[in-house]
Amino acid sequence: MSAQPYFSERIALMIERDDPLALIRWRQQLRHALERQNVKHVHSLIQLLKQEAVVKKYGKRGMAHVRMAEGALQSTGGNAREARQKWQQADQLFKQTFDYEGHVLLLLSLGGHYDEHQQYAQAIETYQYARQLCLQHDLRHSLANVQTNLASLYQTQGNWEEAVELLQQSLNIFLSLNDIFSAGVTLGTMGELLIDVGAYEEAIECYETSFDIFKEANHVGSQISVLNNLGRIYELQERPLIAIEQFSKALQLANETENIRRQATALDNLGGAYRSAEQYEQALVAHEQGLALYKQLGDQHGCTISLHHLGQLYLAQGAFTKSFASISEALALKRQIGDERGLMLASLTMTKLQIKMERWDGAILFATESAALAQSLSLDEQFADAQLLLGLINQQLKRPQIAQAHWEQAMEIVKDHPAEARIKQAIQQLTQENGTSPTT
């Protein structure tokens, strides 16, 4: 018997016996099912609470859980409006029934939805509200979950000190409650933060510890995520062969579980590592296979990522016409789905392509767009990259004063930022190559 029907039947028996822990177990199973993207299990949990006898037993409280799960399903399917409607209904029902733990779980789902759609202010507000509920009602485990999610958002916005403090608090709570699996998740989030600040060896240590935890728990999806993150670190360290090894392990696990989405992600990551190693034929095969899987899933966001990476591969090979076609398709799709961060990154790549083709008007257009998007999203490093490119463009157009102004702006925005040394080195190299005075 698979775990899914076993747990559903066990919860049904708990409900029948009026076990006060029944809904708590139901919520745990919902969270695990959503983490594993197990839509079938979510449906079975919904149907369990929709049974007539269960509806009579739990009333509004049970229906709040149903609406919460239905909203999560709608969000997973990309139906943002329907998801928000379901969650609004659940929010009112949780408030009416004073079910604080259920309400916090709902707020976690809603905050994650806002985060995914880059509505960061709403996400932070939602998580902070959830945190207050946890503190008021001494919900320690829920508090740790909320703080881990909030820390991820602070990390996105460059608030590293606040993020580290929240993560350390969450890790301590999970360890005190002997929740080793959640401690592993938190270690993975800390790894993400350490990557952002350039502490790669410390990040590797966090991920390797979390991988051991997930392997012991037989949580394959989390193992795959860790391997992908380890591969990303080795790419950042310019160790592409080790990155290829990590991404290949992730792909092997994804193939064993026949999870198409994870296969697509691993393939796309593998293609990037092959490109870094200048193994262009293998890179092309991996990217094309990943793109085909994303198309099979109908995943437009995934398609834009693969198309962007194909454009980067063609750019590295000097195949400018193919690069232009791939990046243009990626940009069009990103505009269509409203992926501002992805649009900003693809615009940076298009800027580099336009520079290679000496299309200066186009280069200025795309660099200016990427700078504006990076600034609106509070992505300082990417804003500096755009200013760096604008300086290079104006340098090529014999406008040294304008170039200098862009470089000074780049240095100002990354002052005391982990990217400061990289940006400064790039500017010094450009100015030395062309005999101009480097910015300070």
Side-chain angles (χ1 to χ4, degrees):
M1 175 185 285
S2 68
Q4 176 189 318
Y6 168 75
F7 282 115
S8 294
E9 290 173 9
R10 185 177 177 185
I11 294 169
L13 185 60
M14 293 174 73
I15 292 172
E16 185 181 336
R17 294 175 176 175
D18 291 324
D19 191 321
L21 297 178
L23 282 182
I24 294 174
R25 293 288 179 267
W26 187 94
R27 287 195 291 261
Q28 289 173 344
Q29 283 305 302
L30 176 66
R31 181 164 60 88
H32 293 156
L34 292 172
E35 286 173 353
R36 292 171 170 81
Q37 300 177 339
N38 191 335
V39 173
K40 186 176 180 181
H41 193 184
V42 176
H43 276 297
S44 72
L45 289 168
I46 290 172
Q47 292 307 312
L48 179 60
L49 292 192
K50 276 189 169 183
Q51 293 175 15
E52 185 177 352
V54 179
V55 171
K56 289 180 179 179
K57 185 185 293 285
Y58 288 123
K60 289 182 179 180
R61 189 179 178 213
M63 194 50 61
H65 287 74
V66 169
R67 294 288 176 260
M68 173 173 64
E70 289 175 341
L73 280 179
Q74 293 293 338
S75 179
T76 301
N79 303 315
R81 183 179 177 183
E82 292 82 354
R84 284 194 295 270
Q85 288 176 346
K86 295 289 187 182
W87 283 331
Q88 285 170 1
Q89 294 170 12
D91 183 68
Q92 293 302 314
L93 290 167
F94 278 126
K95 287 177 179 176
Q96 292 171 18
T97 56
F98 305 102
D99 186 339
Y100 302 113
E101 287 224 22
H103 199 182
V104 169
L105 183 57
L106 167 67
L107 292 168
L108 281 170
S109 297
L110 185 57
H113 172 81
Y114 285 136
D115 186 9
E116 183 180 347
H117 290 80
Q118 299 171 1
Q119 297 171 282
Y120 299 131
Q122 295 95 319
I124 288 174
E125 183 180 353
T126 302
Y127 287 141
Q128 286 177 338
Y129 175 38
R131 188 167 182 263
Q132 284 301 115
L133 281 178
C134 293
L135 290 169
Q136 288 171 9
H137 302 285
D138 194 27
L139 307 175
R140 295 180 65 209
H141 194 277
S142 295
L143 175 63
N145 281 321
V146 170
Q147 291 188 158
T148 299
N149 284 275
L150 187 56
S152 295
L153 267 179
Y154 284 149
Q155 174 193 347
T156 300
Q157 298 192 318
N159 299 328
W160 292 291
E161 289 184 8
E162 292 179 77
V164 167
E165 184 179 351
L166 287 172
L167 286 172
Q168 192 59 58
Q169 290 175 9
S170 295
L171 183 60
N172 291 339
I173 291 172
F174 287 134
L175 291 174
S176 71
L177 297 173
N178 200 32
D179 185 349
I180 305 303
F181 181 84
S182 294
V185 174
T186 306
L187 282 167
T189 308
M190 290 181 76
E192 282 279 346
L193 175 60
L194 290 165
I195 291 174
D196 271 2
V197 299
Y200 298 140
E201 292 304 322
E202 292 87 344
I204 289 172
E205 186 177 342
C206 279
Y207 281 125
E208 287 180 342
T209 303
S210 65
F211 182 85
D212 291 339
I213 290 172
F214 295 139
K215 189 172 183 180
E216 180 70 23
N218 196 31
H219 197 302
V220 179
S222 296
Q223 292 176 55
I224 293 171
S225 295
V226 169
L227 290 168
N228 280 323
N229 282 313
L230 282 169
R232 186 157 61 96
I233 295 172
Y234 289 122
E235 276 196 291
L236 291 168
Q237 290 183 315
E238 298 182 355
R239 300 161 74 185
L241 296 181
I242 304 179
I244 289 170
E245 181 183 340
Q246 300 301 316
F247 292 138
S248 296
K249 289 178 182 177
L251 179 59
Q252 181 180 349
L253 285 176
N255 288 338
E256 289 173 2
T257 57
E258 299 182 352
N259 187 303
I260 296 176
R261 189 176 304 281
R262 290 180 178 135
Q263 288 172 327
T265 301
L267 280 164
D268 202 51
N269 288 336
L270 189 56
Y274 278 132
R275 171 167 55 85
S276 297
E278 298 183 357
Q279 298 180 24
Y280 295 136
E281 289 185 10
Q282 295 96 318
L284 181 60
V285 170
H287 282 316
E288 287 183 337
Q289 288 178 348
L291 178 59
L293 291 177
Y294 280 130
K295 286 181 177 179
Q296 181 182 333
L297 291 167
D299 184 344
Q300 288 186 310
H301 183 262
C303 287
T304 66
I305 294 173
S306 283
L307 286 165
H308 180 196
H309 290 163
L310 273 170
Q312 290 177 315
L313 171 62
Y314 290 133
L315 176 58
Q317 292 179 294
F320 297 153
T321 302
K322 289 182 177 180
S323 179
F324 183 83
S326 292
I327 300 171
S328 295
E329 189 176 351
L331 285 167
L333 265 177
K334 288 178 186 295
R335 293 186 202 281
Q336 181 181 327
I337 64 177
D339 179 8
E340 291 188 342
R341 189 178 188 279
L343 183 61
M344 178 270 300
L345 293 171
S347 293
L348 279 174
T349 303
M350 182 62 93
T351 302
K352 295 172 186 176
L353 174 61
Q354 296 286 305
I355 291 171
K356 287 284 187 181
M357 300 173 75
E358 298 186 357
R359 295 180 178 177
W360 306 115
D361 288 344
I364 291 172
L365 176 68
F366 285 107
T368 302
E369 179 180 25
S370 61
L373 286 168
Q375 190 171 37
S376 70
L377 295 169
S378 301
L379 298 172
D380 293 343
E381 182 174 358
Q382 287 73 27
F383 178 77
D385 283 329
Q387 294 300 322
L388 182 69
L389 291 173
L390 282 165
L392 171 60
I393 294 163
N394 281 283
Q395 184 187 62
Q396 296 299 314
L397 294 173
K398 310 301 181 185
R399 301 170 183 168
Q401 290 182 329
I402 298 176
Q404 191 76 9
H406 282 298
W407 290 335
E408 287 174 357
Q409 195 170 3
M411 286 305 302
E412 181 181 351
I413 199 69
V414 293
K415 185 178 180 181
D416 299 324
H417 187 285
E420 182 178 8
R422 178 180 68 81
I423 296 295
K424 185 176 182 179
Q425 183 180 6
I427 292 172
Q428 288 177 337
Q429 183 176 351
L430 287 170
T431 52
Q432 288 167 5
E433 286 174 356
N434 289 274
T436 55
S437 300
T439 188
T440 57

